[in-house]
Amino acid sequence: MSTPAIQAALQQMQGLATQAASAQPLSGAQASAAVGNGGFGGELQASIQRINRLQQTANSQAMAFQAGDPNLQLNDVMVDMQKSSVAFQMGLQVRNRLVSAYRDVMNMQV
């Protein structure tokens, strides 16, 4: 990342932090729901679980089709397998970007 891009991202984060600080406080139930559902780590984990479910579904459909299940069509199995493949490739690219960003941050001179 270039220096102007880093500065822009930093300004955006500071603006969001200011907005969050000026917002009304949440009640206990709302706060626990917001913490449980929000955050980068939670979203990353949910995405990985979605990718895993897609792969498991595609694999089970392929096995059922190979076993001769009359309720499955080949095109449905192939579409689900392609969805699984695209989701996995997207997850892989996100991981590569995260590793690259981590390396950039670690190589910054303070």
Side-chain angles (χ1 to χ4, degrees):
M1 276 176 93
S2 65
T3 303
I6 293 170
Q7 292 297 328
L10 182 60
Q11 288 175 350
Q12 184 180 12
M13 286 191 287
Q14 288 172 343
L16 290 172
T18 303
Q19 286 178 352
S22 65
Q24 296 178 358
L26 298 174
S27 70
Q30 290 173 335
S32 65
V35 169
N37 293 335
F40 179 76
E43 289 298 320
L44 184 61
Q45 185 176 13
S47 295
I48 291 171
Q49 288 173 351
R50 274 185 244 123
I51 291 169
N52 187 36
R53 276 195 306 271
L54 282 171
Q55 287 183 330
Q56 288 176 343
T57 301
N59 190 30
S60 65
Q61 283 186 347
M63 297 295 270
F65 183 79
Q66 289 173 358
D69 187 353
N71 297 327
L72 287 176
Q73 299 294 324
L74 178 61
N75 60 340
D76 294 334
V77 174
M78 294 302 293
V79 166
D80 285 342
M81 290 181 76
Q82 197 64 26
K83 284 181 187 178
S84 169
S85 176
V86 167
F88 180 77
Q89 290 299 319
M90 184 266 318
L92 186 63
Q93 291 301 318
V94 168
R95 186 219 46 180
N96 290 344
R97 294 288 175 119
L98 286 172
V99 169
S100 176
Y102 174 78
R103 287 183 181 153
D104 289 345
V105 169
M106 293 305 294
N107 289 333
M108 282 184 193
Q109 294 181 0
V110 180

